[in-house]
Amino acid sequence: MIIGIPKEIMQGEARVAATPETVKKFCKDGITILVESGAGEKSHYYDDQYRNMGAEMVYDPEELYRRSDLILKVKEPQYNESKDKHEIDMMHEGQYLITFIHPASPGNHSMVKKLAAAGVIGLTLDGIPRISRAQNMDALTSMSTCAGYKGMIMAANDLSFFMPQMFTAVGMLKPANVLVIGVGVAGLQALATAKRLGAVTYAMDIRPDAVEQAKSLGAKVIDSGVPAEIAVGEGGYANKLPDEWIQKEREHLKGVIKDMDIVFLSALVPGKVAPILITEDMVKDMKNGSVIVDVSIDQGGNCEITTPGKKEVKHNVTIGGIKNIPGLIPTSSTWMFAQNMYNLVNYLVKDGKIELDLNDEIIKSILVTNNKEIVHAGAKEAMGL
């Protein structure tokens, strides 16, 4: 089996799908590893390190895609300007791809259709179920940890005033109020980081267990108004709410959001488009100079006016829709991601070949395209198929 590790081409993406450490493990398992030259430089993993662990360095991405049975990437396939062609056009029928596809996100629908048409078997990392046997391959959790930490650091950097309470010779400055909506892995890390920075923290989540975890970090809880029997779905994840309950959740937020200095958005429904919880009218009611960081943007975003991939000021509020926050701490995030990738590949490969048991909970959750068809339930729903 041959695994290809291409250089990421998304602007600002510094991560890579393998480290020299995981290359060594793959090679020990009898797998040939091709790494595109320079793929790890921005995360401070260098060609000589990969080569010394047994990888073959490849200088042309087209050669890497052509020769590989399986491609491991961090971000979804995109248009490669240097080759003047889409990465999918370098792939071939029957090839496997493991990456963050985010197939339900509207911005990725055409790419997913292209992937299916090419006959590539796409497996998405954002579909890994949070069950005990999948923990060590759950890259979404790993990257959410990075996004929660770095996203809150970015929010603090965008504020025009101090985060902690400050006592000075000329008077006292109040601490910043920080609201985290969606206290999963990213949200909890964001709360912990805001607390360390001295902010007064608030949390909102429709799941009672998540609320209890937020309380344990010292956050004041904002009631969502959504009953637990409607809110909580399979595996303890948030359910996709009917529109009437989304509206009730917004009503509960309206009275709170105008007092917040930072709003950190990380409310997600697995495999679905992220719910819109902050409308443009709600943004207009926020304080001048306040900040929104919308880390749910890969699945559409929780704020109605977040621009994907950009940080913009709208209605005197800085709204960050940066799509690759974990890539801003690339050494740590790459190390975590690569370990997850190795564990997932190790789970899928039997006797030197990938075997897809379509009755397996993990495989069912991550499979996006197969036999030239889109098979991912969330993607099909979002596309109206």
Side-chain angles (χ1 to χ4, degrees):
M1 176 177 233
I2 300 175
I3 294 177
I5 312 292
K7 185 175 182 178
E8 298 295 324
I9 60 172
M10 175 183 273
Q11 186 175 3
E13 180 55 74
R15 292 171 293 173
V16 62
T19 61
E21 180 183 346
T22 57
V23 164
K24 182 179 181 180
K25 288 199 232 180
F26 279 128
C27 291
K28 189 177 179 181
D29 294 339
I31 295 172
T32 298
I33 303 293
L34 310 179
V35 178
E36 185 178 348
S37 180
E41 281 185 2
K42 291 180 181 177
S43 52
H44 301 291
Y45 299 105
Y46 300 100
D47 286 5
D48 284 347
Q49 293 175 289
Y50 287 110
R51 194 178 287 111
N52 291 341
M53 291 301 175
E56 178 186 341
M57 305 310 296
V58 177
Y59 295 88
D60 183 354
E62 286 194 81
E63 179 189 348
L64 183 141
Y65 281 106
R66 185 179 67 251
R67 292 174 57 190
S68 300
D69 303 304
L70 165 64
I71 296 293
L72 302 184
K73 283 182 92 299
V74 178
K75 300 302 291 185
E76 69 272 14
Q78 298 173 40
Y79 187 80
N80 187 322
E81 291 184 1
S82 67
K83 301 301 292 188
D84 196 25
K85 60 174 65 175
H86 202 282
E87 287 180 307
I88 294 174
D89 292 330
M90 300 186 230
M91 299 180 189
H92 53 81
E93 187 172 346
Q95 190 171 53
Y96 291 85
L97 168 70
I98 302 176
T99 186
F100 279 116
I101 298 174
H102 298 293
S105 178
N108 290 336
H109 289 176
S110 61
M111 178 271 296
V112 171
K113 291 173 183 176
K114 187 177 179 71
L115 204 62
V120 176
I121 300 116
L123 301 122
T124 187
L125 294 167
D126 55 295
I128 296 282
R130 284 187 181 150
I131 55 178
S132 56
R133 65 191 177 94
Q135 282 182 339
N136 69 356
M137 56 187 90
D138 187 358
L140 185 59
T141 290
S142 295
M143 296 304 100
S144 294
T145 298
C146 298
Y149 166 77
K150 188 65 174 180
M152 188 54 67
I153 297 293
M154 291 163 60
N157 193 53
D158 286 332
L159 276 183
S160 58
F161 48 87
F162 294 115
M163 281 275 274
Q165 188 173 36
M166 298 291 284
F167 295 93
T168 76
V170 291
M172 183 268 287
L173 293 95
K174 292 180 180 180
N177 290 326
V178 174
L179 170 62
V180 174
I181 303 175
V183 283
V185 176
L188 290 171
Q189 188 60 235
L191 279 175
T193 303
K195 196 76 174 175
R196 293 184 202 112
L197 292 171
V200 177
T201 55
Y202 299 80
M204 180 191 243
D205 199 294
I206 62 176
R207 300 164 297 164
D209 287 350
V211 165
E212 287 304 313
Q213 289 180 299
K215 280 183 185 177
S216 73
L217 292 175
K220 300 174 184 180
V221 173
I222 307 299
D223 180 25
S224 70
V226 181
E229 60 270 21
I230 295 174
V232 183
E234 187 178 347
Y237 288 103
N239 261 333
K240 181 181 179 183
L241 298 179
D243 289 344
E244 62 185 283
W245 286 105
I246 291 281
Q247 186 55 42
K248 287 180 182 179
E249 194 173 356
R250 289 178 191 149
E251 291 297 326
H252 279 251
L253 277 169
K254 274 183 183 178
V256 175
I257 199 168
K258 64 181 185 297
D259 297 322
M260 295 300 150
D261 301 299
I262 291 174
V263 178
F264 185 95
L265 298 172
S266 57
L268 295 172
V269 179
K272 311 284 186 182
V273 175
I276 299 293
L277 301 176
I278 306 296
T279 64
E280 183 167 9
D281 284 341
M282 292 164 73
V283 174
K284 289 177 182 178
D285 286 340
M286 291 179 70
K287 293 180 185 178
N288 292 334
S290 55
V291 176
I292 292 173
V293 175
D294 195 347
V295 300
S296 66
I297 194 63
D298 274 329
Q299 286 178 231
N302 293 143
C303 177
E304 183 180 28
I305 57 173
T306 304
T307 301
K310 293 186 178 181
K311 180 173 72 176
E312 298 178 335
V313 177
K314 298 180 179 179
H315 309 299
N316 299 321
V317 176
T318 299
I319 304 175
I322 304 304
K323 296 188 74 172
N324 59 336
I325 293 175
L328 300 177
I329 44 171
T331 303
S332 293
S333 56
T334 284
W335 185 85
M336 296 172 77
F337 184 89
Q339 298 292 337
N340 294 139
M341 281 293 224
Y342 172 78
N343 292 327
L344 177 56
V345 172
N346 192 50
Y347 180 79
L348 296 174
V349 173
K350 313 292 181 192
D351 299 322
K353 293 196 302 184
I354 290 179
E355 292 186 9
L356 297 182
D357 177 1
L358 300 183
N359 294 314
D360 181 276
E361 182 179 0
I362 295 172
I363 293 168
K364 276 197 302 184
S365 298
I366 66 175
L367 191 61
V368 176
T369 56
N370 193 28
N371 296 322
K372 293 196 171 187
E373 294 182 348
I374 298 168
V375 296
H376 186 274
K380 289 168 73 174
E381 180 184 335
M383 292 178 190
L385 300 177

